[in-house]
Amino acid sequence: MKRRKLLSLATVSGFGLAFGSHRYLSWQFPLTYDHCPAIAPLNSSPRLRFSVLGDVGTGGKTQYRVARTLSCYSQVNPFPLALLVGDNIYEYGKIEKIKATFELPYQKLLEQKVQFQAVLGNHDIKTNNGADQLAYKPFNMRGRYYSFARQNVRFFALDTNPNAPWQEQLAWLKKELAAT
């Protein structure tokens, strides 16, 4: 191959890579919250309104869309609570990814003072058996299993992982249910 043809191919390939990587990288940045879709206010006033999320994502475009929709919805129909039902940090529960997989996508909800309550999923226990997430304050976990109340509602957060202390947890749950 002659030098001129090699340079031409390299230039075209370079533009392709630059264009392709721009398209690839552009979705990794937060989507704008400037314009929310039209969301109608609810006619009812429930005693407690909350959202539930599971398998929250890797910090990609789809996760930002979900977060944006929740934030926009919360601006019209506020909810004070978001339940995270596991797999909070993909893919291996590494706390180093918390900014990309939680803090940035849900920044607007955190600014709106939505409180998150989490439990550990099977991906979360792959690193340090989930201990780092248990200690992460914005997840508000009081242990591998716990209960909490909001208004007149009691929630029970259970550890359903294979390595959960099943007998201990079951005894605790029976005692908690009897007391409510």
Side-chain angles (χ1 to χ4, degrees), residues 5-148:
K5 187 168 184 169
L6 177 65
L7 287 174
S8 297
L9 286 173
T11 302
V12 170
S13 297
F15 280 124
L17 285 173
F19 177 71
S21 52
H22 169 70
R23 287 178 50 122
Y24 175 75
L25 293 174
S26 66
W27 64 263
Q28 293 184 4
F29 298 100
L31 299 173
T32 180
Y33 283 85
D34 296 339
H35 302 288
C36 286
I39 297 173
L42 296 176
N43 294 330
S44 64
S45 295
R47 292 181 187 212
L48 178 64
R49 184 179 291 135
F50 60 93
S51 65
V52 180
L53 298 125
D55 297 279
V56 295
T58 60
K61 181 168 68 171
T62 303
Q63 183 179 7
Y64 274 95
R65 285 185 177 149
V66 169
R68 177 177 177 242
T69 301
L70 283 170
S71 176
C72 291
Y73 183 86
S74 182
Q75 290 173 22
V76 178
N77 299 298
F79 56 88
L81 178 63
L83 305 177
L84 295 176
V85 296
D87 294 346
N88 309 311
I89 304 175
Y90 261 107
E91 176 166 342
Y92 298 103
K94 294 180 179 179
I95 200 71
E96 300 84 38
K97 291 185 166 194
I98 196 69
K99 187 168 188 159
T101 61
F102 177 73
E103 292 173 356
L104 290 176
Y106 302 109
Q107 179 179 357
K108 293 292 184 184
L109 288 173
L110 292 165
E111 289 171 2
Q112 293 169 2
K113 305 293 184 215
V114 172
Q115 183 180 29
F116 287 81
Q117 292 283 162
V119 294
L120 297 173
N122 64 322
H123 287 264
D124 300 318
I125 63 169
K126 289 183 178 184
T127 299
N128 202 17
N129 199 26
D132 299 326
Q133 289 188 46
L134 288 167
Y136 180 65
K137 290 193 187 289
F139 281 171
N140 294 297
M141 287 190 267
R142 298 178 183 132
R144 292 185 72 93
Y145 55 91
Y146 61 96
S147 71
F148 63 96

Side-chain angles (χ1 to χ4, degrees), residues 156 167-180:
F156 297 90
Q167 295 305 316
E168 175 185 319
Q169 183 175 223
L170 184 58
W172 168 84
L173 182 59
K174 284 180 182 179
K175 183 179 173 185
E176 286 284 315
L177 287 171
T180 60

Side-chain angles (χ1 to χ4, degrees), residues 154-168:
R154 171 132 327 255
F155 293 87
F156 297 90
L158 302 175
D159 183 354
T160 60
N161 285 296
N163 66 347
W166 290 98
Q167 295 305 316
E168 175 185 319

